[in-house]
Amino acid sequence: MIAVISGDLIKSQKIPQQEYDAMLYQLDQSLRFIANRFDADYTIYRGDAMQLQLATPDTVCCAAILLYLQMKAANYELRQSLAIGKVDNPRADIKTATGSAYTLSGRGLDNMGHQRLILQIDNQPLDEGFLLNIELIEVLLEKMSQKQANALFYYLTAEHNNHAELAKELATSRANVTKLLNLAHYQLIERFMQYSQTTLKGMTT
């Protein structure tokens, strides 16, 4: 089984033309970071849409949250449809590959309304508690400010993530880092990432 994330930028049509290239560059750099961190492949298509393929399906929620935070730190919002399933016809260009993981992820994105994050698993209904956790995390992510998202992204990805070290990295005070992380509910999001990986590993192995 693999995981696939299909996503697109929210209200990208409202981005001024002179900023569009910067937006695409940010999306590519963010996807490149996630792909390197999770040993994944990605593609960007239709201008503002993306697809990410992960060989380790248990990490799909972690990858999606980090990608969302990195884009929000740059003042962009991303919708993501996560799916875990089979790959029937792998291709070098992942947008032409086939299998239930791609189908579920793509259809999920097409049917998303105002949501930021959904997850489906082929032939395995998700536990109601897991679905509720995803909805709660989605609310926290949506309400997060750009600065909070940036601080949380650095906290979750830094080798040394104590607040003093982060303050040096972000060129601010330790007190401000702590304030931003608390407002971002960093401990809850970090716990959910750990919980999701443990739970999905049990469901996909």
Side-chain angles (χ1 to χ4, degrees), residues 163-164 166-177 180:
H163 295 194
L166 290 175
K168 295 177 186 176
E169 186 72 31
L170 296 171
T172 187
S173 67
R174 185 188 185 283
N176 192 45
V177 166
L180 289 170

Short mmCIF file of all heavy atoms in Angstrom, two decimals, residues 163-164 166-177 180:
data_model
loop_
_atom_site.label_atom_id
_atom_site.label_comp_id
_atom_site.label_asym_id
_atom_site.label_seq_id
_atom_site.Cartn_x
_atom_site.Cartn_y
_atom_site.Cartn_z
N HIS A 163 13.06 25.92 22.68
CA HIS A 163 12.59 27.26 22.33
C HIS A 163 13.73 28.27 22.18
O HIS A 163 13.65 29.20 21.37
CB HIS A 163 11.57 27.74 23.36
CG HIS A 163 10.32 26.92 23.36
ND1 HIS A 163 9.16 27.31 23.98
CD2 HIS A 163 10.03 25.71 22.79
CE1 HIS A 163 8.23 26.37 23.82
NE2 HIS A 163 8.75 25.40 23.11
N ALA A 164 14.78 28.11 22.93
CA ALA A 164 15.92 29.03 22.82
C ALA A 164 16.60 28.90 21.47
O ALA A 164 16.97 29.91 20.84
CB ALA A 164 16.91 28.76 23.95
N LEU A 166 15.20 27.75 18.73
CA LEU A 166 14.27 28.24 17.71
C LEU A 166 14.26 29.76 17.66
O LEU A 166 14.12 30.35 16.58
CB LEU A 166 12.85 27.73 18.02
CG LEU A 166 12.60 26.23 17.81
CD1 LEU A 166 11.20 25.85 18.27
CD2 LEU A 166 12.79 25.85 16.35
N ALA A 167 14.42 30.39 18.81
CA ALA A 167 14.44 31.85 18.84
C ALA A 167 15.61 32.39 18.02
O ALA A 167 15.47 33.39 17.29
CB ALA A 167 14.55 32.34 20.29
N LYS A 168 16.77 31.72 18.09
CA LYS A 168 17.92 32.13 17.27
C LYS A 168 17.62 31.96 15.79
O LYS A 168 17.92 32.82 14.97
CB LYS A 168 19.15 31.30 17.65
CG LYS A 168 19.66 31.53 19.06
CD LYS A 168 20.84 30.60 19.35
CE LYS A 168 21.29 30.69 20.80
NZ LYS A 168 22.37 29.72 21.09
N GLU A 169 17.00 30.83 15.45
CA GLU A 169 16.68 30.53 14.05
C GLU A 169 15.69 31.52 13.47
O GLU A 169 15.79 31.94 12.32
CB GLU A 169 16.10 29.10 13.95
CG GLU A 169 15.87 28.60 12.54
CD GLU A 169 17.16 28.29 11.81
OE1 GLU A 169 18.15 27.89 12.46
OE2 GLU A 169 17.17 28.47 10.57
N LEU A 170 14.72 31.93 14.31
CA LEU A 170 13.66 32.83 13.84
C LEU A 170 13.97 34.30 14.12
O LEU A 170 13.14 35.16 13.81
CB LEU A 170 12.34 32.44 14.52
CG LEU A 170 11.81 31.04 14.17
CD1 LEU A 170 10.62 30.68 15.05
CD2 LEU A 170 11.42 30.96 12.70
N ALA A 171 15.12 34.55 14.68
CA ALA A 171 15.55 35.93 14.97
C ALA A 171 14.53 36.68 15.82
O ALA A 171 14.10 37.80 15.50
CB ALA A 171 15.82 36.69 13.67
N THR A 172 14.12 36.04 16.90
CA THR A 172 13.17 36.66 17.81
C THR A 172 13.51 36.21 19.23
O THR A 172 14.52 35.53 19.45
CB THR A 172 11.72 36.28 17.44
OG1 THR A 172 10.81 37.03 18.23
CG2 THR A 172 11.46 34.79 17.61
N SER A 173 12.69 36.59 20.19
CA SER A 173 12.96 36.22 21.58
C SER A 173 12.39 34.84 21.91
O SER A 173 11.47 34.36 21.25
CB SER A 173 12.34 37.25 22.53
OG SER A 173 10.93 37.18 22.46
N ARG A 174 12.97 34.23 22.93
CA ARG A 174 12.47 32.93 23.37
C ARG A 174 11.03 33.04 23.81
O ARG A 174 10.21 32.16 23.54
CB ARG A 174 13.34 32.41 24.52
CG ARG A 174 12.98 31.01 24.98
CD ARG A 174 13.74 30.62 26.24
NE ARG A 174 13.49 29.24 26.61
CZ ARG A 174 12.38 28.81 27.21
NH1 ARG A 174 11.41 29.67 27.49
NH2 ARG A 174 12.24 27.53 27.53
N ALA A 175 10.70 34.13 24.52
CA ALA A 175 9.33 34.33 25.00
C ALA A 175 8.35 34.41 23.84
O ALA A 175 7.23 33.88 23.92
CB ALA A 175 9.26 35.61 25.84
N ASN A 176 8.76 35.05 22.75
CA ASN A 176 7.87 35.16 21.59
C ASN A 176 7.67 33.82 20.91
O ASN A 176 6.56 33.50 20.47
CB ASN A 176 8.43 36.18 20.60
CG ASN A 176 7.41 36.55 19.54
OD1 ASN A 176 6.24 36.80 19.84
ND2 ASN A 176 7.83 36.56 18.28
N VAL A 177 8.73 33.02 20.84
CA VAL A 177 8.60 31.68 20.26
C VAL A 177 7.62 30.86 21.07
O VAL A 177 6.73 30.19 20.50
CB VAL A 177 9.98 30.98 20.21
CG1 VAL A 177 9.81 29.49 19.94
CG2 VAL A 177 10.85 31.61 19.14
N LEU A 180 4.05 32.05 20.38
CA LEU A 180 3.56 31.63 19.07
C LEU A 180 3.21 30.15 19.06
O LEU A 180 2.18 29.75 18.51
CB LEU A 180 4.61 31.94 17.99
CG LEU A 180 4.84 33.41 17.65
CD1 LEU A 180 6.05 33.56 16.75
CD2 LEU A 180 3.60 34.00 16.96
#
